Amino acid sequence: MNFSLSEEQELIQQAARDFAQNELLPGVIERDEKQEFPTEEVKKMGELGFLGMMVDPKYGGSGLDTISYVLVMEELSKVDASSSVIVSVNNSLVCWGLETFGTEAQKEKYLTKLTTGESIGAFCLSEPEAGSDATSQKTTAIDKGDHYILNGTK
């Protein structure tokens, strides 16, 4: 088995490393202390293709492999955990779900904006009694065909 990175993966890794050092590192402590969202940095990550790494290019994604995604996450995380979480949630929880389970209309409407950073994906996890412990969540959604019955609190 060959565990070497491809030339493309090495280039992606270096691009992420350079971005983290040159764009994220300046001001990272100040953003954390002030709890500021890295708006400009997220726009740049969108321009670099970091926000839709594994999404099909027909929806504006980079169409890359999982190893490339992990390499970018690793390099961003070394410098700015908050920015890496933004990239992670946008790619894995939002874009992946939409591309895998969404309708063509949803993909065209949402993925094309999510992959560029025009929109940013998010999700709700916490509940009053469980915090962010996903295994303790109690909210349910029951499919009734043409509607859902939701029980619980967010």
Side-chain angles (χ1 to χ4, degrees):
M1 220 178 210
N2 182 0
F3 291 104
S4 299
L5 298 177
S6 70
E7 185 177 333
E8 180 181 38
Q9 290 167 335
E10 288 177 350
L11 290 171
I12 291 164
Q13 181 183 40
Q14 188 60 53
R17 184 176 295 143
D18 291 345
F19 177 80
Q21 291 296 316
N22 298 322
E23 301 291 337
L24 294 178
L25 185 58
V28 68
I29 301 299
E30 184 178 336
R31 285 191 306 276
D32 277 355
E33 287 174 350
K34 292 182 178 181
Q35 300 178 10
E36 291 179 347
F37 187 83
T39 304
E40 291 307 312
E41 292 80 2
V42 169
K43 287 179 186 175
K44 291 176 183 177
M45 289 189 290
E47 291 168 7
L48 287 169
F50 293 167
L51 297 176
M53 293 193 68
M54 295 177 289
V55 175
D56 190 309
K58 73 180 180 179
Y59 303 115
S62 303
L64 295 169
D65 62 305
T66 306
I67 299 295
S68 297
Y69 168 65
V70 170
L71 292 169
V72 168
M73 292 301 305
E74 180 180 44
E75 295 301 327
L76 299 180
S77 296
K78 289 177 186 177
V79 173
D80 186 356
S82 297
S83 292
S84 69
V85 169
I86 292 166
V87 171
S88 174
V89 168
N90 203 72
N91 275 284
S92 63
L93 295 175
V94 181
C95 289
W96 177 83
L98 275 170
E99 188 167 23
T100 304
F101 301 108
T103 65
E104 190 61 32
Q106 290 170 328
K107 292 174 190 181
E108 289 176 11
K109 180 177 182 179
Y110 298 109
L111 280 178
T112 55
K113 293 179 181 169
L114 288 163
T115 58
T116 63
E118 183 179 343
S119 295
I120 299 297
F123 73 110
C124 297
L125 175 63
S126 65
E127 292 181 352
E129 68 283 347
S132 60
D133 177 7
T135 61
S136 297
Q137 303 292 301
K138 303 219 183 306
T139 299
T140 60
I142 301 167
D143 187 352
K144 292 296 186 178
D146 62 342
H147 68 282
Y148 284 86
I149 297 177
L150 301 176
N151 291 302
T153 53
K154 288 288 182 193

